[in-house]
Amino acid sequence: MNVGTREPITQSLERWHTAIRTNHIQQSESIHNEIKSEITQIKDPSTQLYYQLLNSRYLILKKELTSAHAILDTLNDVHLNRTDIFGYYMNLITGMLLTAEGNYEIAELRFIRAFNLLNVLNNMTDDIVRADFYHKAAVLYYHIRQPLTALDYANEALKTLSEAEDYELFQSGCENILGLASLSLKQYGKAEEHFLCALDLAKRIDQSYTSLIKYNIGYLYAEQNMSELAVRYLLEVFEEEEAFYKTHFLLSREFYRLNNEEKAIPFYNKGIELANEEYLHHFKILNALNQTTDINELERIVKEGNDYFKQHELFGFVEDYAGELAQVFFNNENHDKASYYFKESYEAKRALQKKEALK
């Protein structure tokens, strides 16, 4: 990225950016340690801004989201609406952070603006910059249950990287998203192929990067009701990484499916302590579905969750949970309520299809 100077510190910042962008955490940390003592002596405002942007992205890579947010909050008011390369990175990195935090609606707005700037600034970018955008956009669209859009972006990123060297972890990330998008489409064989490819690429470079992929393989088996196999992968992830609410959620859900409430409850209790607002609803619905919950109370909890998911346009979850609630009412021979929630599930599916068709 051209920041108006080619001083040694700028070259170091470029090396740092490459390490961050390609998910090399240890290399990123090493280069950052080199830069920290130098950057305080630099007076050029463009170089200082570039450092702050990269530092926020570095913190996102390390999952230190609160610290990343603190940096971006100091920059947003002044720099978010810029129309130069700094404006592009402000929107891209802010979109990445909001995606990681689950604030998908605003994240999508940031990605749309970044994409528009990317096209305007075509002469200041290269294939790697574009592949970087495509990959991060694919992550967002997977999370908002638009797998066809995610597939398009991830495939575009891989195509752009086809002749690049030393980008194995980047390619692994693209294969991982292709696996998740395929899983959303219930293409289980393709999903497994992509995950195993992602795992193979990651193992060659950085064993620490494999935990996310193993989690997704566990998720793949969970979605096929292969709970014992899912638990085996998820427990391995649980032992390798810091406590993460999504891992707790899946482990709790799969132990419930195995009728092992004794093991499910500790993962549920810890997970709900760690969860963000979205996953609090997932945990509460999971608990209500698996405990002896009054059907009216179950309906209240699901409705509360689905109101949240509708508000944030997470229609895939509305489809899932309305369908599960409809089945509960059907089994209890309350056909009016069953019909109502089957219809809500269908309408959520249509809303999701319509939203993706607009891309």
Side-chain angles (χ1 to χ4, degrees):
M1 178 171 122
N2 181 9
V3 295
T5 175
R6 297 308 301 170
E7 295 179 1
I9 184 62
T10 308
Q11 296 174 31
S12 295
L13 288 171
E14 295 286 3
R15 286 193 302 113
W16 191 31
H17 196 178
T18 298
I20 295 168
R21 187 160 50 199
T22 53
N23 300 319
H24 286 82
I25 296 178
Q26 292 181 347
Q27 188 180 8
S28 299
E29 187 170 355
S30 175
I31 297 171
H32 187 221
N33 288 335
E34 296 173 18
I35 292 171
K36 279 192 296 187
S37 59
E38 299 177 50
I39 196 67
T40 56
Q41 309 301 317
I42 302 299
K43 304 300 182 185
D44 177 60
S46 293
T47 306
Q48 283 286 349
L49 175 57
Y50 190 26
Y51 171 77
Q52 291 298 331
L53 286 168
L54 293 186
N55 197 22
S56 63
R57 183 163 184 176
Y58 171 60
L59 291 166
I60 295 169
L61 178 64
K62 292 172 55 178
K63 298 181 181 178
E64 296 179 18
L65 304 185
T66 302
S67 298
H69 219 134
I71 293 172
L72 290 173
D73 281 348
T74 66
L75 302 176
N76 275 341
D77 288 345
V78 177
H79 301 291
L80 195 62
N81 294 318
R82 292 175 68 141
T83 56
D84 58 6
I85 196 69
F86 290 113
Y88 166 73
Y89 277 112
M90 276 296 309
N91 281 277
L92 175 70
I93 295 169
T94 304
M96 290 167 56
L97 175 62
L98 293 169
T99 300
E101 293 177 330
N103 193 344
Y104 302 124
E105 293 163 283
I106 302 177
E108 186 176 19
L109 295 176
R110 297 290 173 261
F111 273 103
I112 290 170
R113 178 162 174 77
F115 181 70
N116 290 335
L117 288 171
L118 190 62
N119 289 328
V120 171
L121 301 167
N122 190 51
N123 64 325
M124 297 184 67
T125 61
D126 57 26
D127 285 348
I128 301 303
V129 173
R130 288 187 168 274
D132 182 33
F133 172 82
Y134 295 142
H135 173 236
K136 296 303 181 289
V139 173
L140 168 69
Y141 285 110
Y142 160 72
H143 280 296
I144 59 177
R145 300 283 287 266
Q146 296 184 33
L148 295 176
T149 307
L151 282 171
D152 285 344
Y153 275 119
N155 277 317
E156 194 65 35
L158 272 180
K159 184 172 73 175
T160 307
L161 286 170
S162 60
E163 297 182 4
E165 296 181 1
D166 301 323
Y167 281 81
E168 286 87 352
L169 284 182
F170 201 148
Q171 291 168 326
S172 175
C174 293
E175 291 285 355
N176 186 52
I177 291 299
L178 287 170
L180 287 168
S182 298
L183 175 53
S184 292
L185 295 167
K186 303 190 187 307
Q187 297 173 347
Y188 300 124
K190 284 188 177 180
E192 188 171 40
E193 286 177 20
H194 286 303
F195 286 142
L196 293 177
C197 180
L199 192 60
D200 181 58
L201 286 165
K203 281 180 176 177
R204 298 180 203 171
I205 308 298
D206 188 348
Q207 284 290 129
S208 65
Y209 192 69
T210 62
S211 291
L212 173 62
I213 303 165
K214 290 176 187 175
Y215 167 87
N216 289 333
I217 294 173
Y219 178 37
L220 167 68
Y221 293 132
E223 289 298 285
Q224 297 175 82
N225 291 318
M226 301 165 69
S227 295
E228 291 184 0
L229 196 52
V231 164
R232 193 175 80 191
Y233 274 93
L234 293 167
L235 284 175
E236 191 174 336
V237 173
F238 180 76
E239 291 169 2
E240 290 176 355
E241 68 174 14
E242 290 184 33
F244 188 49
Y245 56 84
K246 290 186 179 181
T247 308
H248 283 80
F249 176 79
L250 278 186
L251 280 167
S252 180
R253 190 181 75 178
E254 295 314 300
F255 276 124
Y256 272 126
R257 286 177 174 176
L258 292 168
N259 296 315
N260 192 335
E261 186 175 329
E262 183 180 355
K263 288 189 176 179
I265 288 175
F267 286 112
Y268 170 85
N269 288 339
K270 184 62 179 177
I272 206 165
E273 287 178 19
L274 300 168
N276 63 5
E277 186 176 2
E278 176 195 333
Y279 262 77
L280 280 174
H281 291 292
H282 290 302
F283 274 108
K284 288 176 181 178
I285 294 170
L286 174 69
N287 186 58
L289 286 168
N290 286 281
Q291 299 296 325
T292 308
T293 305
D294 175 79
I295 195 168
N296 293 320
E297 177 65 5
L298 171 63
E299 182 183 23
R300 184 193 67 77
I301 292 168
V302 171
K303 186 178 183 304
E304 187 177 89
N306 277 353
D307 286 345
Y308 173 88
F309 299 133
K310 288 175 188 175
Q311 179 186 348
H312 295 277
E313 299 187 354
L314 297 171
F315 298 115
F317 295 125
V318 179
E319 179 189 355
D320 294 343
Y321 290 131
E324 289 195 57
L325 187 57
Q327 193 63 53
V328 171
F329 278 116
F330 181 81
N331 293 340
N332 281 269
E333 299 186 352
N334 188 334
H335 299 299
D336 288 341
K337 283 284 182 76
S339 177
Y340 175 85
Y341 285 108
F342 277 128
K343 185 172 184 290
E344 182 176 60
S345 178
Y346 174 75
E347 288 175 347
K349 182 177 181 178
R350 289 290 301 273
L352 191 61
Q353 291 171 336
K354 183 178 179 181
K355 195 172 192 300
E356 186 155 44
L358 295 173
K359 301 301 170 199

